[in-house]
Amino acid sequence: MIKSLAGATIVVPDLDAAIAAYREWLGYQPSPVVAFDAAEAEAWKAPQAAGARTSTLTPESGEARFLRLVEGRPDPAFRPMGALGWNAVEIIVQDVEALAVKLARPGSPFAVIGAPAVLDFDFTDKIKAMQVSGPGGEVLYLTEVAEPVPGFDLPEAKSFVGQPFIMVMGSRDIDAAARPYVERGRMLSPIFEARIDVLSDAHGIDRMRRHQLATVAFDEASLIEIDIFPSTAIDRPLSSLGLPSGIAIAHFHGAGGERVDRLVGGAGEWIEVRS
């Protein structure tokens, strides 16, 4: 059984610059730089990743959910929100408007691609988010939750920029994309519709279009959001490391045992479950 989200691995072209970006602008604290483990690279059938420089960053709050940055070149065809698989990491924040002001300052390494706005959900108006693209073309949803949302277990931000809590996936078929998680003990929500402006913008679609999506909920206030992507979305290209470009891997805690399962999901996303 998959229990909860542990973190995400992101391929970035310049590790030192990416570490500085997350540390200075989002308050994330890096571990010492080490070499990407050869056994993990071999398990992913990406031997060229062995030895790549990597660092794991955690929020200023000290919470354990992480972003692991690995140095490698994305494929030239890769564009934010343009490919299937993992497209965004959603991070809980305390004050999205104040964060937007900070990230709009000159020199910011995070490009604002979606200004703060209340999310277009029929069931609540208490969630406000902005979207940015980071040093590796990864998209971050930076989300403030004003008060609890019935039916959803959402975290509280324990630092100005808190921990990741949702992985956003682009797919062709929600049921097929959800299958690896349903087979491992989780439940798919009903499909609903919402505007996703950054997705529409990336594919030249009218912002008024409502996209289909659903969620898979895990323990400890963590989820996957599965979005149906337009037909113009491409299969996610591999980076120079043999790992997917951009957000490469989502990591999850499993239940019991001492095993690591690594698999490719229904939307081509890479999944690690560590029990």
Side-chain angles (χ1 to χ4, degrees), residues 244-255:
S245 297
I247 301 169
I249 307 167
H251 304 265
F252 297 90
H253 297 296

Side-chain angles (χ1 to χ4, degrees), residues 81-84 172 203 229-235:
M81 303 300 290
L84 303 176
R172 303 271 190 227
H203 294 272
F229 267 34
S231 60
T232 46
I234 64 172
D235 292 335

Side-chain angles (χ1 to χ4, degrees), residues 51-69:
R53 299 172 69 238
T54 180
S55 175
T56 300
L57 293 79
T58 50
E60 192 173 20
S61 61
E63 293 166 288
R65 256 181 226 151
F66 62 84
L67 298 176
R68 180 176 63 164
L69 308 180

Side-chain angles (χ1 to χ4, degrees), residues 13-14 18-19 63 87 128 136 159 168 217 221 263:
D14 183 330
I19 289 172
E63 293 166 288
N87 272 272
K128 181 184 284 189
S159 52
V168 180
L263 62 147

Side-chain angles (χ1 to χ4, degrees), residues 223-235:
L223 303 95
I224 291 173
E225 175 184 318
I226 305 173
D227 300 338
I228 291 291
F229 267 34
S231 60
T232 46
I234 64 172
D235 292 335

